Amino acid sequence: GKGIAVFTSGGDSQGMNAAVRAVVRMGMYLGCKVFFIKEGYQGMVDGCENIVEATWASVSSIIHKGGTLIGSARCAEFREQAGRLKAARNLVEKGITNLVVIGGDGSLTGANLFKQEWPELLQILLKQGKISQEQADKCKYLYIAGLVGSIDNDFCGTDMTIGTDSALHRIIEAIDAIVSTAYSHQRTFIMEVMGRHCGYLAVVTALCGEADYVFIPESPPPEDWPDKLCHNAGQRLNIIIIAEGAIDRNGQPITSEKVKQVVVDRLKQDTRITVLGHVQRGGNASAFDRLLACRMGAEAVMALMEATPETEACVISLDGNQAVRLPLMECVKRTQAVAKAMADREFELAVKLRGSR
Ligand code: ADP
């Protein structure tokens, strides 16, 4: 059977373990040898000791767990060719040319680059005498299937990323908890949620938590937002949700502190800020995320099984209720185009690009 390696990279999210489990079990079911690469690209760069064979039992009792048990890292070396050469050498050493990468847009961008560069990396390693001709021939093609693990739901091409649904649960639980303790006082609560470029978590939790106002990066409020904000406010209880990356029309951050100041100055209301932070990434994976991860992990293995030398790197996406394979390169490009549109403050374009699959 083929050798498949699975790793998690970048920011962790709930459901990553479920995805790892699905890859291991589906791979083994189909007769493959499946390997973990510990600590993401860093492990791949550092050496073969981080590449260990998985067993059926090694992924037992992890489907629910948040975070990633095989470790994740940010790896500066992998951004340079020298680092990718080391990573390639370690994979060749192990005879592994099938990769399942579970990570956010950065990790998938790196994977895309790795795949494109692979023939060149092999040539260099050959010239340097670090691998044999036989090894180079055996490992001529690199196959990659990506799974998007991110609580932000910020990747183009998929309806939902693994972890988003669990993060929504965490935030809603926090809003409900605050509402129940706070109702007896006349207060305004400002909740800051994650989402540097993407307001998905903020918008959905604002709707589900009956928020009075929401600030998100891709739709900056009108200039007179302080008036609008305070128009309805002043009720018994007000909830304001802010995505961490919220900005105004000039690209200046709208911080929780800034909003608090407005409410305090104009309404003289007791106002509290809650920054949820990493709580949103923690806790058990929701049923939706477990199922999503199972389906995507299995589909990733199928994609690798069916790949031919002409097959492009793919990302497994959720399209309606279907798990589909999309070209990784196109999804990465579109995701980068969204980031650029946001940086250029072309918000409508950003929303349009993100919305279209
Ligand atoms: P995420 O995958 O959650 O978006 P990062 O953006 O930090 O997180 O990316 C994770 C890792 O992926 C980086 O530490 C780096 O090793 C690799 N990576 C990201 N972008 C690139 C790139 N343009 N080229 C090569 N590797 C990259």
Side-chain angles (χ1 to χ4, degrees):
K2 293 189 184 186
I4 297 179
V6 58
F7 62 100
T8 52
S9 171
D12 63 294
S13 68
Q14 303 98 329
M16 279 186 162
N17 288 316
V20 168
R21 174 182 176 276
V23 170
V24 169
R25 296 250 165 126
M26 187 64 171
M28 291 184 77
Y29 175 72
L30 295 176
C32 303
K33 273 189 174 213
V34 187
F35 298 85
F36 299 128
I37 303 176
K38 306 250 173 104
E39 314 303 333
Y41 291 120
Q42 192 64 53
M44 199 191 287
V45 169
D46 285 348
C48 291
E49 68 279 7
N50 300 308
I51 307 175
V52 295
E53 194 171 344
T55 63
W56 192 265
S58 61
V59 290
S60 288
S61 309
I62 66 167
I63 194 168
H64 57 291
K65 288 191 173 144
T68 166
L69 293 162
I70 58 173
S72 181
R74 313 249 181 219
C75 174
E77 274 181 281
F78 196 79
R79 291 175 185 273
E80 312 295 327
Q81 193 183 57
R84 294 193 293 275
L85 273 172
K86 286 190 198 166
R89 188 186 173 188
N90 291 328
L91 292 181
V92 170
E93 205 59 45
K94 285 284 204 177
I96 294 169
T97 52
N98 293 287
L99 298 180
V100 179
V101 46
I102 307 171
D105 61 335
S107 304
L108 297 177
T109 303
N112 188 42
L113 181 64
F114 200 38
K115 158 103 178 166
Q116 285 174 326
E117 214 184 26
W118 187 254
E120 188 190 335
L121 296 177
L122 289 187
Q123 283 311 312
I124 297 173
L125 289 172
L126 255 179
K127 244 188 234 152
Q128 294 176 342
K130 290 187 174 147
I131 60 172
S132 67
Q133 185 63 52
E134 194 189 338
Q135 283 177 313
D137 291 344
K138 198 176 144 230
C139 296
K140 195 162 169 197
Y141 302 106
L142 181 69
Y143 301 100
I144 291 180
L147 302 187
V148 198
S150 160
I151 66 164
D152 294 343
N153 206 22
D154 56 354
F155 193 77
C156 291
T158 187
D159 291 349
M160 282 292 260
T161 59
I162 299 169
T164 301
D165 185 65
S166 304
L168 291 175
H169 279 282
R170 284 307 88 72
I171 300 168
I172 290 295
E173 278 163 9
I175 295 178
D176 291 349
I178 276 184
V179 168
S180 62
T181 143
Y183 195 75
S184 29
H185 309 270
Q186 195 159 333
R187 274 190 185 144
T188 293
F189 277 91
I190 298 172
M191 307 267 287
E192 188 178 311
V193 304
M194 283 186 171
R196 264 171 300 170
H197 313 288
C198 182
Y200 185 86
L201 291 176
V203 167
V204 174
T205 54
L207 286 169
C208 300
E210 288 194 301
D212 300 283
Y213 213 91
V214 59
F215 294 93
I216 57 169
E218 56 272 77
S219 181
E223 301 272 358
D224 62 346
W225 65 261
D227 298 335
K228 295 229 159 42
L229 175 72
C230 296
H231 179 68
N232 287 330
Q235 319 163 98
R236 236 187 128 60
L237 172 71
N238 298 288
I239 300 212
I240 300 167
I241 308 277
I242 307 188
E244 64 183 328
I247 47 175
D248 65 19
R249 296 201 165 259
N250 302 314
Q252 294 306 307
I254 297 180
T255 60
S256 303
E257 284 298 337
K258 210 182 258 181
V259 175
K260 177 178 172 177
Q261 212 50 58
V262 168
V263 176
V264 169
D265 289 349
R266 299 195 179 202
L267 300 173
K268 317 274 181 259
Q269 249 199 19
D270 184 9
T271 305
R272 307 291 170 96
I273 296 173
T274 302
V275 180
L276 284 178
H278 283 73
V279 162
Q280 296 162 87
R281 284 203 195 159
N284 288 351
S286 68
F288 181 92
D289 275 331
R290 295 182 204 188
L291 188 60
L292 185 66
C294 285
R295 295 176 69 190
M296 292 195 160
E299 185 66 19
V301 173
M302 296 299 292
L304 292 175
M305 290 295 99
E306 291 165 17
T308 65
E310 289 76 41
T311 309
E312 287 180 73
C314 71
V315 59
I316 312 298
S317 299
L318 187 70
D319 178 354
N321 196 26
Q322 296 296 313
V324 297
R325 301 168 197 174
L326 296 180
L328 177 59
M329 185 137 66
E330 265 176 42
C331 295
V332 162
K333 269 195 193 146
R334 178 134 15 104
T335 303
Q336 287 171 343
V338 171
K340 183 172 183 307
M342 292 287 293
D344 295 345
R345 279 181 259 147
E346 294 193 43
F347 302 110
E348 275 170 29
L349 177 63
V351 171
K352 196 167 147 234
L353 283 169
R354 190 182 286 136
S356 61
R357 256 183 240 113

